[in-house]
């Protein structure tokens, strides 16, 4: 028998919070300003007006998206802290009820009764360890990073602004909104295809389907905005 020195490599994605924030910001940044610019292109004759409105939307959208990311992060921290305080209170006030819950959790994973009793004694000997066990295995909560909320806000805002400038960039180099829309559509759909492909590849989904799904959403939003604006202005 020879020792096994080469463990089987497993290809799993460890999804980071930053990756999730970039996906949120870029996906909305590529689609919302694109739809707005497309809608304005169907209603006005000035590329400067489309650019002005588009930039205003990017600024407002990036602030709103960043604030949403910050509030979501803070809510997660506050929810965890509230549940942690409740678990500490229950361990002190109704310890037998909490021990019974530990037994039930250990029974669900298949431990024998004798092993469960030993494990309950070990886990509940230290209140801090006991509470951590309940937080993770009863409530399914991991301690969030309190510094993540401002990081998420900045990442989402920057990703949204970057994504929003891509469809708007075509209007800087064309003389009419119609020409701008044509080039904006080409540039944005290519970016949506690439972004959808990479996002799906990173998250372990079918990359081709993800690419066309992302592009389809952007095209649908822009088309709806264009035809509604054209209908209203006619």
């Amino acid at each position: 028998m020879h020792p096994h020195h080469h463990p089987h490599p497993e290809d799993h994605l460890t999804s980071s919070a930053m990756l999730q924030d970039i996906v949120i910001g870029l996906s909305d940044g590529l689609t919302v300003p694109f739809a707005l610019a497309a809608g304005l292109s169907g209603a006005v004759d000035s590329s400067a007006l489309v650019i002005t409105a588009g930039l205003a939307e990017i600024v407002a959208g990036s602030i709103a998206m960043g604030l949403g990311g910050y509030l979501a992060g803070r809510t997660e921290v506050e929810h965890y802290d509230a549940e942690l305080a409740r678990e500490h209170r229950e361990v002190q006030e109704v310890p037998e009820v909490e021990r019974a819950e530990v037994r039930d959790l250990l029974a669900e994973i298949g431990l024998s009764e004798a092993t469960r009793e030993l494990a309950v004694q070990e886990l509940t000997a230290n209140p801090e360890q006991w509470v951590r066990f309940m937080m993770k295995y009863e409530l399914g909560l991991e301690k969030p990073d309190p510094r993540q909320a401002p990081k998420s806000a900045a990442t989402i805002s920057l990703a949204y602004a970057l994504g929003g400038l891509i469809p708007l960039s075509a209007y800087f180099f064309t003389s009419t909104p119609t020409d701008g829309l044509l080039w904006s559509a080409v540039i944005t759909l290519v970016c949506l295809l690439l972004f959808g492909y990479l996002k799906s590849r990173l998250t372990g989904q079918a990359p081709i389907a993800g690419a066309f799904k992302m592009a389809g959403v952007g095209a649908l939003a822009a088309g709806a905005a264009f035809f509604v604006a054209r209908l209203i202005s006619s």
Side-chain angles (χ1 to χ4, degrees), residues 27-138:
S27 58
D28 280 6
L30 282 167
T31 52
V32 177
F34 178 41
L36 173 66
L40 288 173
S41 297
V44 301
D45 297 322
S46 169
S47 291
L49 184 57
V50 177
I51 292 170
T52 301
L55 289 174
E57 195 286 327
I58 290 171
V59 171
S62 63
I63 292 172
M65 291 289 292
L67 181 59
Y70 178 81
L71 292 175
R74 289 304 309 163
T75 299
E76 185 180 2
V77 171
E78 291 166 3
H79 173 63
Y80 183 89
D81 289 343
E83 290 296 328
L84 183 66
R86 185 177 66 83
E87 282 298 329
H88 274 292
R89 197 164 55 247
E90 290 179 351
V91 162
Q92 292 176 353
E93 296 176 358
V94 286
E96 287 308 314
V97 174
E98 293 297 295
R99 285 191 180 91
E101 291 178 355
V102 173
R103 289 189 187 94
D104 292 340
L105 289 168
L106 295 175
E108 287 178 5
I109 62 176
L111 296 183
S112 67
E113 184 175 352
T115 304
R116 286 202 304 269
E117 289 306 316
L118 288 174
V120 168
Q121 291 177 22
E122 290 287 339
L123 286 169
T124 61
N126 184 321
E128 291 297 326
Q129 176 182 269
W130 187 356
V131 169
R132 284 198 302 270
F133 178 85
M134 300 303 286
M135 291 293 290
K136 184 171 182 178
Y137 295 103
E138 182 193 23

Side-chain angles (χ1 to χ4, degrees), residues 11-13 197-207:
D11 184 19
H12 294 296
L13 170 71
Y197 180 89
L198 291 173
K199 186 191 80 167
S200 300
R201 188 80 179 266
L202 287 170
T203 54
Q205 302 173 5

